[in-house]
Coordinates of all heavy atoms in Angstrom, one line a residue:
M78 N 12.5 -3.7 7.3 CA 12.1 -5.1 7.1 C 11.7 -5.3 5.7 O 11.1 -4.4 5.1 CB 10.9 -5.4 8.0 CG 11.3 -5.4 9.5 SD 9.9 -5.9 10.5 CE 10.0 -7.7 10.4
K79 N 12.0 -6.4 5.2 CA 11.6 -6.7 3.8 C 10.2 -7.3 3.7 O 9.7 -7.8 4.7 CB 12.6 -7.8 3.2 CG 14.0 -7.2 3.1 CD 14.9 -8.2 2.5 CE 16.3 -7.6 2.4 NZ 17.2 -8.5 1.7
M80 N 9.6 -7.1 2.6 CA 8.2 -7.6 2.4 C 8.1 -9.1 2.4 O 7.0 -9.6 2.5 CB 7.6 -7.0 1.1 CG 7.6 -5.5 1.1 SD 6.5 -4.8 2.3 CE 4.9 -5.2 1.6
I81 N 9.1 -9.8 2.2 CA 9.1 -11.3 2.2 C 8.7 -11.8 3.6 O 8.2 -12.9 3.7 CB 10.4 -11.9 1.7 CG1 10.3 -13.4 1.5 CG2 11.5 -11.6 2.7 CD1 9.4 -13.7 0.3
Y82 N 8.9 -11.0 4.7 CA 8.6 -11.5 6.0 C 7.1 -11.6 6.3 O 6.7 -12.3 7.2 CB 9.3 -10.6 7.0 CG 10.8 -10.6 7.0 CD1 11.5 -9.5 7.0 CD2 11.4 -11.9 7.1 CE1 12.9 -9.5 7.0 CE2 12.8 -11.9 7.1 CZ 13.5 -10.8 7.0 OH 14.9 -10.8 7.0
I83 N 6.3 -10.8 5.5 CA 4.8 -10.9 5.8 C 4.3 -12.3 5.5 O 3.6 -12.8 6.4 CB 4.1 -9.8 4.9 CG1 4.5 -8.4 5.4 CG2 2.6 -10.0 5.0 CD1 4.0 -7.3 4.6
P84 N 4.5 -12.8 4.3 CA 3.9 -14.2 4.1 C 4.5 -15.2 5.0 O 3.9 -16.2 5.4 CB 4.2 -14.5 2.6 CG 5.0 -13.4 2.1 CD 5.1 -12.3 3.1
I85 N 5.8 -15.1 5.3 CA 6.4 -16.1 6.2 C 5.8 -16.0 7.6 O 5.5 -17.0 8.2 CB 8.0 -15.8 6.3 CG1 8.6 -16.1 5.0 CG2 8.6 -16.6 7.4 CD1 10.1 -15.7 4.8
A86 N 5.6 -14.8 8.2 CA 5.1 -14.6 9.5 C 3.6 -15.1 9.5 O 3.2 -15.8 10.4 CB 5.2 -13.2 10.0
L87 N 2.8 -14.7 8.5 CA 1.4 -15.1 8.4 C 1.3 -16.6 8.2 O 0.4 -17.3 8.8 CB 0.7 -14.4 7.3 CG 0.6 -12.9 7.6 CD1 -0.1 -12.2 6.4 CD2 -0.1 -12.6 8.9
G88 N 2.2 -17.2 7.5 CA 2.2 -18.7 7.3 C 2.5 -19.4 8.6 O 1.9 -20.4 9.0
A89 N 3.5 -18.9 9.3 CA 3.8 -19.4 10.6 C 2.7 -19.3 11.6 O 2.4 -20.2 12.4 CB 5.1 -18.7 11.2
A90 N 2.0 -18.1 11.6 CA 0.8 -17.9 12.5 C -0.3 -18.9 12.1 O -0.9 -19.5 13.0 CB 0.3 -16.5 12.4
F91 N -0.5 -19.1 10.8 CA -1.5 -20.1 10.4 C -1.2 -21.5 10.9 O -2.0 -22.2 11.4 CB -1.6 -20.1 8.8 CG -2.4 -21.2 8.3 CD1 -3.8 -21.1 8.4 CD2 -1.8 -22.3 7.7 CE1 -4.6 -22.1 7.9 CE2 -2.6 -23.3 7.2 CZ -4.0 -23.2 7.3
I92 N 0.1 -21.9 10.8 CA 0.5 -23.2 11.3 C 0.3 -23.4 12.8 O -0.2 -24.4 13.3 CB 1.9 -23.6 10.8 CG1 2.0 -23.7 9.3 CG2 2.5 -24.8 11.5 CD1 3.4 -23.8 8.8
V93 N 0.7 -22.3 13.5 CA 0.5 -22.4 15.0 C -1.0 -22.4 15.3 O -1.4 -23.2 16.2 CB 1.2 -21.1 15.6 CG1 0.8 -21.0 17.0 CG2 2.7 -21.2 15.5
F94 N -1.8 -21.6 14.7 CA -3.2 -21.7 15.0 C -3.8 -23.0 14.6 O -4.7 -23.5 15.3 CB -4.0 -20.5 14.3 CG -3.8 -19.2 14.9 CD1 -3.5 -18.1 14.1 CD2 -3.8 -19.0 16.2 CE1 -3.3 -16.8 14.6 CE2 -3.6 -17.8 16.8 CZ -3.4 -16.7 16.0
A95 N -3.4 -23.6 13.5 CA -3.9 -24.9 13.1 C -3.6 -26.0 14.1 O -4.4 -26.8 14.4 CB -3.4 -25.3 11.7
V96 N -2.4 -25.9 14.6 CA -1.9 -26.9 15.6 C -2.7 -26.7 16.9 O -3.2 -27.7 17.5 CB -0.4 -26.8 15.9 CG1 0.0 -27.6 17.1 CG2 0.3 -27.3 14.6
I97 N -2.9 -25.5 17.3 CA -3.7 -25.2 18.5 C -5.1 -25.6 18.4 O -5.7 -26.3 19.3 CB -3.6 -23.7 18.9 CG1 -2.2 -23.3 19.3 CG2 -4.6 -23.3 19.9 CD1 -2.0 -21.8 19.5
H98 N -5.7 -25.4 17.2 CA -7.1 -25.8 17.0 C -7.2 -27.3 16.9 O -8.2 -27.9 17.3 CB -7.7 -25.1 15.8 CG -7.9 -23.6 16.0 ND1 -8.5 -23.1 17.1 CD2 -7.5 -22.6 15.2 CE1 -8.5 -21.8 17.0 NE2 -7.9 -21.4 15.8
K99 N -6.2 -28.0 16.4 CA -6.2 -29.4 16.3 C -6.1 -30.0 17.7 O -6.8 -31.0 18.0 CB -5.1 -29.9 15.4 CG -5.0 -31.4 15.2 CD -6.2 -31.9 14.4 CE -6.1 -33.4 14.2 NZ -7.3 -33.9 13.6
I100 N -5.2 -29.5 18.5 CA -5.0 -30.0 19.9 C -6.3 -29.8 20.7 O -6.7 -30.6 21.5 CB -3.8 -29.3 20.5 CG1 -2.5 -29.8 19.9 CG2 -3.8 -29.6 22.0 CD1 -1.3 -29.0 20.3
S101 N -7.0 -28.6 20.4 CA -8.2 -28.3 21.1 C -9.4 -29.2 20.6 O -10.5 -29.0 21.1 CB -8.6 -26.9 20.9 OG -7.5 -26.1 21.4
R102 N -9.2 -30.0 19.6 CA -10.2 -30.9 19.1 C -11.4 -30.2 18.4 O -12.5 -30.7 18.5 CB -10.6 -31.9 20.1 CG -9.5 -32.7 20.7 CD -10.0 -33.8 21.7 NE -8.9 -34.3 22.4 CZ -8.3 -35.4 22.1 NH1 -8.6 -36.1 21.0 NH2 -7.3 -35.9 22.8
Y103 N -11.1 -29.1 17.8 CA -12.1 -28.5 17.0 C -12.4 -29.4 15.7 O -11.5 -30.1 15.3 CB -11.7 -27.1 16.5 CG -11.8 -26.1 17.6 CD1 -10.7 -25.5 18.1 CD2 -13.1 -25.7 18.1 CE1 -10.8 -24.5 19.1 CE2 -13.2 -24.8 19.1 CZ -12.0 -24.2 19.6 OH -12.1 -23.3 20.6
K104 N -13.6 -29.3 15.2 CA -13.9 -30.1 14.0 C -13.1 -29.7 12.8 O -12.7 -30.6 12.0 CB -15.4 -30.1 13.8 CG -16.2 -30.8 14.8 CD -17.7 -30.7 14.5 CE -18.5 -31.4 15.6 NZ -19.9 -31.4 15.4
K105 N -13.0 -28.4 12.5 CA -12.3 -28.0 11.3 C -11.1 -27.0 11.7 O -11.3 -25.8 11.7 CB -13.3 -27.3 10.4 CG -14.4 -28.2 9.9 CD -15.3 -27.4 9.0 CE -16.4 -28.4 8.6 NZ -17.3 -27.7 7.7
P106 N -10.0 -27.6 12.1 CA -8.9 -26.7 12.6 C -8.3 -25.8 11.6 O -7.9 -24.7 11.9 CB -7.9 -27.7 13.1 CG -8.1 -29.0 12.4 CD -9.6 -29.0 12.1
L107 N -8.2 -26.2 10.3 CA -7.6 -25.3 9.3 C -8.5 -24.1 9.0 O -8.1 -23.0 8.8 CB -7.4 -26.1 8.0 CG -6.3 -27.2 8.2 CD1 -6.1 -27.9 6.8 CD2 -5.0 -26.6 8.6
K108 N -9.8 -24.4 9.0 CA -10.8 -23.3 8.8 C -10.7 -22.3 9.9 O -10.7 -21.1 9.7 CB -12.2 -23.9 8.6 CG -13.2 -22.8 8.4 CD -14.6 -23.4 8.3 CE -15.7 -22.4 8.2 NZ -17.0 -23.0 8.1
R109 N -10.6 -22.8 11.1 CA -10.6 -21.9 12.3 C -9.2 -21.1 12.3 O -9.2 -20.0 12.7 CB -10.7 -22.6 13.6 CG -12.2 -23.2 13.7 CD -12.4 -23.8 15.0 NE -12.3 -22.8 16.1 CZ -13.3 -22.1 16.6 NH1 -14.5 -22.2 16.1 NH2 -13.0 -21.3 17.6
A110 N -8.2 -21.7 11.8 CA -6.8 -21.1 11.8 C -6.9 -19.9 10.7 O -6.4 -18.8 11.0 CB -5.8 -22.1 11.4
V111 N -7.5 -20.2 9.6 CA -7.6 -19.2 8.6 C -8.4 -18.0 9.1 O -8.1 -16.8 8.9 CB -8.2 -19.8 7.3 CG1 -8.6 -18.7 6.3 CG2 -7.2 -20.7 6.6
L112 N -9.5 -18.3 9.8 CA -10.4 -17.3 10.3 C -9.7 -16.5 11.4 O -9.9 -15.3 11.5 CB -11.7 -17.9 10.8 CG -12.6 -18.4 9.8 CD1 -13.8 -19.1 10.5 CD2 -13.1 -17.3 8.9
S113 N -8.8 -17.1 12.1 CA -8.0 -16.4 13.2 C -7.1 -15.4 12.6 O -7.0 -14.2 13.0 CB -7.2 -17.4 14.0 OG -8.1 -18.2 14.7
V114 N -6.4 -15.8 11.5 CA -5.4 -14.9 10.8 C -6.2 -13.8 10.1 O -5.8 -12.6 10.2 CB -4.5 -15.6 9.9 CG1 -3.7 -14.7 9.1 CG2 -3.6 -16.6 10.7
L115 N -7.2 -14.1 9.4 CA -8.0 -13.2 8.6 C -8.8 -12.2 9.4 O -9.0 -11.0 9.0 CB -8.9 -13.9 7.6 CG -8.2 -14.6 6.5 CD1 -9.2 -15.3 5.6 CD2 -7.3 -13.7 5.7
S116 N -9.2 -12.6 10.6 CA -9.9 -11.6 11.5 C -9.0 -10.5 11.9 O -9.5 -9.3 12.0 CB -10.5 -12.3 12.7 OG -9.5 -12.8 13.5
G117 N -7.8 -10.8 12.2 CA -6.8 -9.7 12.6 C -6.5 -8.8 11.5 O -6.5 -7.6 11.6
I118 N -6.3 -9.3 10.3 CA -5.9 -8.5 9.2 C -7.2 -7.7 8.7 O -7.0 -6.5 8.4 CB -5.4 -9.4 8.0 CG1 -4.0 -10.0 8.5 CG2 -5.2 -8.6 6.7 CD1 -3.4 -10.9 7.5
G119 N -8.3 -8.3 8.8 CA -9.6 -7.6 8.4 C -9.8 -6.5 9.4 O -10.3 -5.4 9.0
T120 N -9.5 -6.7 10.6 CA -9.7 -5.6 11.6 C -8.8 -4.5 11.4 O -9.1 -3.3 11.5 CB -9.5 -6.1 13.0 OG1 -10.4 -7.3 13.2 CG2 -9.8 -5.1 14.1
L121 N -7.5 -4.8 11.0 CA -6.6 -3.7 10.7 C -7.0 -2.9 9.4 O -6.9 -1.7 9.4 CB -5.2 -4.3 10.4 CG -4.1 -3.4 10.1 CD1 -3.8 -2.4 11.3 CD2 -2.8 -4.1 9.7
I122 N -7.5 -3.6 8.4 CA -8.0 -2.9 7.2 C -9.2 -2.1 7.6 O -9.3 -0.9 7.1 CB -8.4 -4.0 6.2 CG1 -7.1 -4.6 5.6 CG2 -9.2 -3.3 5.0 CD1 -7.4 -5.8 4.7
L123 N -10.1 -2.6 8.4 CA -11.3 -1.8 8.9 C -10.9 -0.6 9.6 O -11.4 0.5 9.4 CB -12.2 -2.7 9.7 CG -13.6 -2.1 10.1 CD1 -14.4 -1.8 8.9 CD2 -14.3 -3.0 11.1
V124 N -9.9 -0.7 10.5 CA -9.4 0.5 11.3 C -8.8 1.5 10.3 O -9.0 2.7 10.4 CB -8.4 0.1 12.3 CG1 -7.7 1.3 12.9 CG2 -9.1 -0.7 13.5
D125 N -8.1 1.0 9.3 CA -7.5 1.9 8.3 C -8.5 2.6 7.5 O -8.4 3.8 7.2 CB -6.6 1.1 7.4 CG -5.7 2.0 6.5 OD1 -5.1 3.0 7.0 OD2 -5.6 1.7 5.3
I126 N -9.6 1.9 7.1 CA -10.7 2.6 6.3 C -11.4 3.6 7.2 O -11.7 4.7 6.7 CB -11.6 1.5 5.7 CG1 -10.9 0.7 4.7 CG2 -12.9 2.1 5.2 CD1 -11.7 -0.5 4.2
L127 N -11.7 3.2 8.4 CA -12.5 4.1 9.3 C -11.7 5.2 9.9 O -12.2 6.1 10.6 CB -13.2 3.3 10.4 CG -14.2 2.3 9.9 CD1 -14.8 1.5 11.1 CD2 -15.4 3.1 9.2
S128 N -10.4 5.3 9.6 CA -9.5 6.3 10.2 C -9.9 7.7 9.7 O -9.6 8.7 10.3 CB -8.1 6.0 10.0 OG -7.8 6.1 8.6
V129 N -10.5 7.7 8.5 CA -10.9 9.0 8.0 C -12.0 9.6 8.9 O -12.0 10.9 9.1 CB -11.5 8.8 6.5 CG1 -12.1 10.1 6.0 CG2 -10.4 8.3 5.6
F130 N -12.9 8.8 9.4 CA -14.0 9.3 10.2 C -13.6 9.4 11.7 O -14.1 10.3 12.4 CB -15.2 8.4 10.1 CG -15.7 8.2 8.6 CD1 -15.5 7.0 8.0 CD2 -16.3 9.3 8.0 CE1 -15.9 6.9 6.7 CE2 -16.7 9.1 6.7 CZ -16.5 7.9 6.0
T131 N -12.8 8.5 12.2 CA -12.5 8.4 13.6 C -11.3 9.2 14.0 O -11.1 9.4 15.2 CB -12.4 7.0 14.1 OG1 -11.3 6.4 13.4 CG2 -13.6 6.2 13.8
L132 N -10.4 9.5 13.1 CA -9.2 10.2 13.3 C -8.2 9.3 14.2 O -7.3 9.9 14.8 CB -9.4 11.5 13.9 CG -10.2 12.5 13.1 CD1 -10.4 13.8 13.8 CD2 -9.6 12.7 11.7
V133 N -8.5 8.0 14.2 CA -7.6 7.1 14.9 C -6.9 6.3 13.8 O -7.5 5.6 13.0 CB -8.4 6.2 15.9 CG1 -7.4 5.2 16.5 CG2 -9.1 7.0 16.9
Y134 N -5.6 6.4 13.8 CA -4.8 5.8 12.7 C -3.7 4.9 13.1 O -3.0 5.2 14.0 CB -4.2 7.0 11.8 CG -3.4 6.5 10.7 CD1 -4.0 6.0 9.5 CD2 -2.0 6.7 10.7 CE1 -3.3 5.6 8.5 CE2 -1.3 6.3 9.6 CZ -1.9 5.7 8.5 OH -1.2 5.3 7.4
I135 N -3.7 3.7 12.5 CA -2.6 2.8 12.7 C -1.8 2.7 11.4 O -2.4 2.3 10.4 CB -3.0 1.4 13.1 CG1 -3.8 1.4 14.4 CG2 -1.8 0.4 13.2 CD1 -4.4 0.0 14.8
P136 N -0.5 3.1 11.4 CA 0.2 3.0 10.2 C 0.3 1.5 9.7 O 0.7 0.7 10.5 CB 1.6 3.6 10.5 CG 1.5 4.2 11.8 CD 0.2 3.6 12.5
V137 N 0.0 1.3 8.5 CA 0.0 -0.1 7.9 C 1.5 -0.3 7.5 O 1.9 0.3 6.5 CB -1.0 -0.3 6.8 CG1 -0.8 -1.6 6.2 CG2 -2.4 0.0 7.2
S138 N 2.1 -1.2 8.2 CA 3.5 -1.5 7.9 C 3.7 -3.0 8.0 O 2.7 -3.7 8.3 CB 4.5 -0.8 8.8 OG 4.3 -1.2 10.1
V139 N 4.9 -3.5 7.7 CA 5.2 -4.9 7.9 C 4.9 -5.3 9.3 O 4.3 -6.4 9.6 CB 6.6 -5.2 7.5 CG1 6.9 -6.6 7.7 CG2 6.8 -4.8 6.0
L140 N 5.3 -4.6 10.3 CA 5.2 -4.9 11.7 C 3.7 -4.9 12.1 O 3.3 -5.9 12.8 CB 6.0 -3.9 12.6 CG 5.9 -4.2 14.1 CD1 6.6 -5.6 14.3 CD2 6.6 -3.1 14.8
S141 N 2.9 -3.9 11.7 CA 1.5 -3.9 12.1 C 0.7 -5.1 11.4 O -0.2 -5.6 12.0 CB 0.9 -2.6 11.7 OG 0.8 -2.4 10.3
I142 N 1.1 -5.5 10.2 CA 0.4 -6.6 9.5 C 0.8 -7.9 10.2 O -0.1 -8.7 10.5 CB 0.8 -6.6 8.0 CG1 0.2 -5.4 7.3 CG2 0.3 -7.9 7.4 CD1 0.7 -5.3 5.9
I143 N 2.0 -8.0 10.6 CA 2.4 -9.3 11.3 C 1.8 -9.3 12.7 O 1.3 -10.4 13.1 CB 4.0 -9.3 11.4 CG1 4.6 -9.6 10.1 CG2 4.4 -10.4 12.4 CD1 6.1 -9.5 10.0
I144 N 1.7 -8.2 13.4 CA 1.1 -8.2 14.7 C -0.4 -8.5 14.6 O -1.0 -9.3 15.3 CB 1.3 -6.9 15.4 CG1 2.7 -6.7 15.9 CG2 0.3 -6.7 16.6 CD1 3.1 -5.4 16.4
S145 N -1.1 -7.9 13.6 CA -2.5 -8.2 13.5 C -2.8 -9.6 13.0 O -3.8 -10.2 13.3 CB -3.1 -7.2 12.5 OG -2.6 -7.3 11.2
G146 N -1.9 -10.2 12.2 CA -2.0 -11.6 11.7 C -1.8 -12.6 12.8 O -2.5 -13.6 12.9
I147 N -0.8 -12.3 13.6 CA -0.5 -13.3 14.7 C -1.4 -13.1 15.9 O -1.9 -14.1 16.4 CB 1.0 -13.1 15.1 CG1 1.9 -13.6 13.9 CG2 1.3 -14.0 16.3 CD1 3.3 -13.4 14.1
L148 N -1.6 -11.9 16.4 CA -2.4 -11.7 17.6 C -3.9 -11.5 17.3 O -4.7 -11.5 18.3 CB -1.8 -10.5 18.3 CG -0.4 -10.6 18.8 CD1 0.1 -9.4 19.5 CD2 -0.3 -11.8 19.8
G149 N -4.2 -11.2 16.1 CA -5.7 -11.0 15.8 C -6.2 -9.7 16.3 O -5.6 -8.7 16.4
I150 N -7.5 -9.8 16.6 CA -8.2 -8.6 17.1 C -7.6 -8.0 18.3 O -7.5 -6.8 18.4 CB -9.7 -8.9 17.2 CG1 -10.3 -9.2 15.9 CG2 -10.5 -7.8 17.9 CD1 -11.7 -9.8 15.9
P151 N -7.2 -8.8 19.3 CA -6.5 -8.2 20.5 C -5.2 -7.5 20.1 O -4.9 -6.5 20.8 CB -6.2 -9.4 21.4 CG -7.2 -10.4 21.0 CD -7.5 -10.2 19.6
G152 N -4.5 -7.9 19.1 CA -3.3 -7.2 18.7 C -3.6 -5.9 18.1 O -2.9 -4.9 18.4
V153 N -4.7 -5.8 17.3 CA -5.1 -4.5 16.7 C -5.6 -3.6 17.8 O -5.3 -2.4 17.8 CB -6.2 -4.7 15.6 CG1 -6.7 -3.4 15.1 CG2 -5.6 -5.6 14.5
T154 N -6.3 -4.1 18.8 CA -6.8 -3.3 19.9 C -5.6 -2.8 20.7 O -5.6 -1.6 21.1 CB -7.7 -4.2 20.8 OG1 -8.8 -4.7 20.0 CG2 -8.3 -3.3 21.9
A155 N -4.6 -3.6 20.9 CA -3.4 -3.2 21.6 C -2.7 -2.1 20.9 O -2.2 -1.1 21.5 CB -2.5 -4.3 21.9
M156 N -2.6 -2.2 19.6 CA -2.0 -1.2 18.8 C -2.8 0.1 18.8 O -2.2 1.2 18.9 CB -1.8 -1.6 17.3 CG -0.7 -2.6 17.1 SD -0.3 -3.0 15.4 CE -1.8 -3.8 14.8
L157 N -4.1 0.0 18.8 CA -4.9 1.2 18.9 C -4.7 1.9 20.3 O -4.6 3.1 20.4 CB -6.4 0.9 18.8 CG -6.9 0.7 17.3 CD1 -8.3 0.2 17.3 CD2 -6.8 2.0 16.6
C158 N -4.7 1.1 21.3 CA -4.5 1.7 22.7 C -3.1 2.3 22.8 O -3.0 3.4 23.4 CB -4.7 0.6 23.7 SG -6.4 0.0 23.9
Y159 N -2.1 1.7 22.3 CA -0.8 2.2 22.3 C -0.7 3.6 21.5 O -0.1 4.6 22.0 CB 0.2 1.3 21.7 CG 1.6 1.8 21.7 CD1 2.4 1.6 22.8 CD2 2.2 2.3 20.5 CE1 3.7 2.1 22.8 CE2 3.5 2.8 20.5 CZ 4.2 2.7 21.6 OH 5.5 3.1 21.6
N160 N -1.4 3.6 20.4 CA -1.4 4.8 19.6 C -2.2 5.9 20.3 O -1.7 7.1 20.3 CB -2.1 4.5 18.2 CG -1.9 5.6 17.2 OD1 -1.1 6.5 17.5 ND2 -2.6 5.5 16.1
L161 N -3.3 5.6 20.9 CA -4.0 6.6 21.6 C -3.3 7.2 22.9 O -3.4 8.4 23.2 CB -5.4 6.1 22.0 CG -6.4 5.9 20.9 CD1 -7.6 5.2 21.4 CD2 -6.7 7.2 20.2
I162 N -2.6 6.3 23.6 CA -1.9 6.7 24.8 C -0.7 7.5 24.5 O -0.4 8.6 25.1 CB -1.6 5.5 25.7 CG1 -2.9 4.9 26.2 CG2 -0.6 5.9 26.8 CD1 -2.7 3.5 26.9
F163 N 0.1 7.1 23.5 CA 1.4 7.7 23.3 C 1.5 8.7 22.1 O 2.6 9.1 21.8 CB 2.5 6.6 23.1 CG 2.7 5.8 24.4 CD1 2.3 4.5 24.5 CD2 3.3 6.4 25.5 CE1 2.5 3.7 25.6 CE2 3.5 5.6 26.6 CZ 3.1 4.3 26.7
S164 N 0.4 8.9 21.5 CA 0.4 9.9 20.4 C 0.2 11.3 21.1 O -0.7 11.5 21.9 CB -0.6 9.7 19.4 OG -1.9 9.8 19.9
G165 N 0.9 12.2 20.6 CA 1.1 13.5 21.2 C -0.2 14.3 21.4 O -0.4 15.2 22.0

């Protein structure tokens, strides 16, 4: 996958979250959309930093960044569970 897909996927996730938050009648839908995308990416970065201590590692790739940006914290948790279950 090319690196150009990361900003496209994150931009699409931002637009989807903004529309969802607007339909839900939140007061600041754009702010909530940004926080939704950044919470997933921040969690992925935190897991990557703490992998030295926890020995639980998620490879940072285009796919993992897109999953964490679109699905947020549940996406990172799912990747962690997948990694723990299927790693040898």
Side-chain angles (χ1 to χ4, degrees):
M78 292 182 82
K79 295 184 180 182
M80 296 300 284
I81 190 69
Y82 293 129
I83 292 174
I85 292 171
L87 295 179
F91 171 76
I92 291 170
V93 168
F94 286 136
V96 168
I97 289 171
H98 292 309
K99 181 66 176 173
I100 291 171
S101 300
R102 301 185 193 265
Y103 284 113
K104 291 183 181 178
K105 297 181 180 181
L107 294 179
K108 180 180 176 183
R109 292 187 62 90
V111 168
L112 290 176
S113 295
V114 172
L115 290 180
S116 69
I118 294 174
T120 306
L121 181 66
I122 291 170
L123 186 65
V124 167
D125 189 46
I126 291 171
L127 293 177
S128 67
V129 175
F130 302 109
T131 62
L132 301 177
V133 177
Y134 179 72
I135 297 176
V137 178
S138 65
V139 175
L140 183 61
S141 65
I142 293 171
I143 290 173
I144 289 172
S145 65
I147 292 174
L148 297 177
I150 295 172
V153 176
T154 305
M156 288 189 292
L157 279 172
C158 291
Y159 181 82
N160 191 12
L161 289 173
I162 292 171
F163 293 110
S164 64

